[in-house]
Each structure stands twice: as C-alpha cells, then as structure tokens.
Amino acid sequence: MKTGFGYVIGRRHAAEPDPELQICQDLAETYTDEEVSIIAVADGKAGKNSPEAAVAAARINVDTIIAFFRDPATWRIAEKNDFKRTALQMLDSSIETVAGGGEFRYEELRATVSAVAVRANGEFLAISIGDGTVVAYDHNLKPSVLIAPYRDSSRKRTVYTNDPDGADAHMSAWGGTLTQSDFLAFAVFTDGADYLTRRDTDGLNILRTAAACTLFGSGDEYIKEAISEISAEHTRDDVSLAVLTEENEQAFAAAKAVLLEAKAAKEAANAAAEAQEILADSTENDDTAEETAPVAEAEQPAEESHEIPQEAGEEAEELPNPPMPAQPPVSADPTPAELVVLRAVYAKPMTAAELVAEGHVRYGRILESTLPLIRAGKIRYENGKFAANE
C-alpha cells in the first residue's frame, strides 16, 4: 500500500491578529507496516481563544484511531455496533486521559475524525465521526463518496468525539474487502476540502491525480500543492487530505492513465491560452483583423449553429450522496465546425491568426474550436502553430 497526506492552515486562522492564534487546527496522518496501512484526518474545533485545545483534540483523535486500527483485536469484531462502541470507548478514554492532565478541559477537546485502514489480505474498515468525508476509488480510480459528512439540518453544526451520545448516534462505519468491493484506493478529508465533492470537474481531477501521484511516490507533494490552492481560493477553513492506494498491476495502469490525462489536459489548456494570446497580439498589430472576421462568417455561415458547448454547462453524473463530478467530454466525433479546423491544419500548420484570417475559425472562437481537438489528440500546438497529429 502507498499513502500520502497533507494539511494546511486556512485563511480564517491565518488572518488572526494574534500570532499565537494563527494555528492550523486540522491534522492528517498515515501509518503503514507489513500488516496494515491507515490514513486519518481530524478537524479540531476551538473555543474563541483556545486553538491549542483544538490542535490537541485533533492529535488525540488521529493517534487514537490509528492505534485502534493497528490492534489485531479490532479486525476480529464481528458486529457493527460492537465495532462502533469499541472505537468510541477508546477515543473517550484518550480524551479523558489528556483532560486529566489539567491543561485542557474535556469539553474543550472537540474534534471530528475520519479514517480508513486496509490490511495486507485486502480487508478494509472505514470510520467517520463528524463532517469529514470518506471516498473510495473504483478500478479506474474514479472516486465516489463512501461515507458522507454528517451535519444537522442547519448545516452549521456537526458532532464531535467528545460528545459520546452524539457521536454514537451519528457515527458511520463501513467494512469489506478490496476484491469484493472492486476498490483500488481511498481518501479521507475534512470539511475544509468539501470543494472536492462539489459538482465541479476540478474536484474529481484533484482526487484522481492525488491517488495516482500517491501510487507513484509523489503524493505528499501533490496533495500539499492541491489543498494549498483549495485553501487560497475555495474556502477560509483549514484543509486536510489523506490518500491510500493499492499496489497492483491494475492500480498502476489506472494511475498511469490518470496522469497521462492530466498531462494532456494541462498541455491543451496551455496551448489554447498561448494561441489566444498570440491571436490577441496579432490582431492588435494587424489593422485588417477587424475586416477579416466578417469574411470568416460569410464563408461558412452553416457553422454558426455548431458552437462547442462550454464544459461548465455539462450535466454531472449522479453518484452516491454527495454527488461527485463527471469527467469532461472529449470530442470523439468532430462537429462540423471542428472539421473545418481539422481540414485546415491537416493541409498545413497554421497560426491562430491565420485560422481566423482565412475564415476557418470565427473571431473570438479560437479556444472553443481548438481545445476539444487538442484534448482528443487530433491536433497539437507547437512552435506557435496548430498542426495535425499523424
């Protein structure tokens, strides 16, 4: 098994005026030996001026749940209710021990916890208390939610492990084997990373790439980069994410395909952006650009009704609650507008400005007309020109 993890401070805590309050209250950790591999995340909940208590609570929960899954006796528990009860008793005992030290009160040590453990024989167990999320990946490394976050009807409150009754009522657990479940990997993350399960292609791609990078040994680096971006752009909360992947031939093949897709998408986006920039520069320096655009429309009026749909408008595939985003469509069968571009660049490599000037692409439509073809591998962009792939 391979594991990767990361956690970063959110903008809300980073903006605290008192430097002592600028503390990340999320935690992620992994553990691996010959018998079991474990990933865990926790989200500490601080009082107004006690972030240290939240940090301590997160550490207690992560350390305790890892110890729980490392214990061979855990894997011999047959009844789900006994499994939950044993986990809660162990967590409660750990919290009471720390509270007994006098530094923090029991009531201050609030945190959520989510974790997955996989044994060498393929058995797995998953647990979540609070508003964390557990994700499972299929044989193509496509993720879906295994355990959804718990929030009450107001969506402003959850449950913490120092609330034994609430935790018992709302704790979720799942178990099985990799073979019977057809899973290759798992991920756990705190509510600061909820962006990953919204109806957005980026979330799906981040989870898939995180699993692929983890398998190939660069998971920590990629996860830290990805959650830092989420923290900077999509939430004010702390963010933590941990991933665990199986190591077998099928997993490596799926991971390789994911990384190739990610590379192709990045190259396509860069090429299209570069082409748009070149087109903008060329039209600024070419007084005839405004005159050629109407000619382009006149030469191919039939193409005006075949605009390529924007990806943001695509309907997402429905997956287990909460839904995961679907993969963006790739142009397998070119539209009439795309065929015009294909014929042009198959005749000779052309710049963006040439495609517009010769009437092959409408002015302002270079991205919509070329990006699907680049993603589908039908054309490429190099040396400032679009060219056909053999």
Side-chain angles (χ1 to χ4, degrees), residues 155-200:
R155 294 185 61 83
K156 294 181 179 179
R157 299 182 61 187
T158 186
V159 65
Y160 304 102
T161 57
N162 70 340
D163 173 11
D165 292 337
D168 181 55
H170 301 292
M171 174 184 180
S172 295
W174 198 285
T177 65
L178 296 180
T179 302
Q180 293 178 344
S181 303
D182 200 24
F183 295 149
L184 288 181
F186 298 91
V188 290
F189 52 86
T190 55
D191 65 325
D194 279 351
Y195 170 79
L196 295 172
T197 50
R198 294 175 191 162
R199 289 180 179 272
D200 193 293

Side-chain angles (χ1 to χ4, degrees), residues 34-58:
E34 293 182 356
E35 296 299 324
V36 65
S37 295
I38 307 164
I39 54 175
V41 296
D43 183 357
K45 175 66 174 178
K48 186 174 181 181
N49 296 308
S50 58
E52 295 88 355
V55 173

Side-chain angles (χ1 to χ4, degrees), residues 1 34-37 118-123:
M1 293 286 177
E34 293 182 356
E35 296 299 324
V36 65
S37 295
V118 181
R119 299 182 82 187
N121 64 1
E123 291 180 287

Side-chain angles (χ1 to χ4, degrees), residues 354-371:
E354 289 171 340
L355 285 171
V356 173
E358 296 185 18
H360 304 299
V361 177
R362 292 177 59 191
Y363 183 74
R365 296 289 183 182
I366 190 70
L367 286 175
E368 292 90 335
S369 300
T370 59
L371 188 55

Side-chain angles (χ1 to χ4, degrees), residues 50 52-53 56 97-106 108-109:
S50 58
E52 295 88 355
T97 298
V98 173
E103 185 177 0
F104 307 109
R105 293 180 294 109
Y106 183 94
E108 292 180 303
L109 297 171

Side-chain angles (χ1 to χ4, degrees), residues 7 19 68 258 365:
Y7 54 97
F68 174 68
V258 168
R365 296 289 183 182

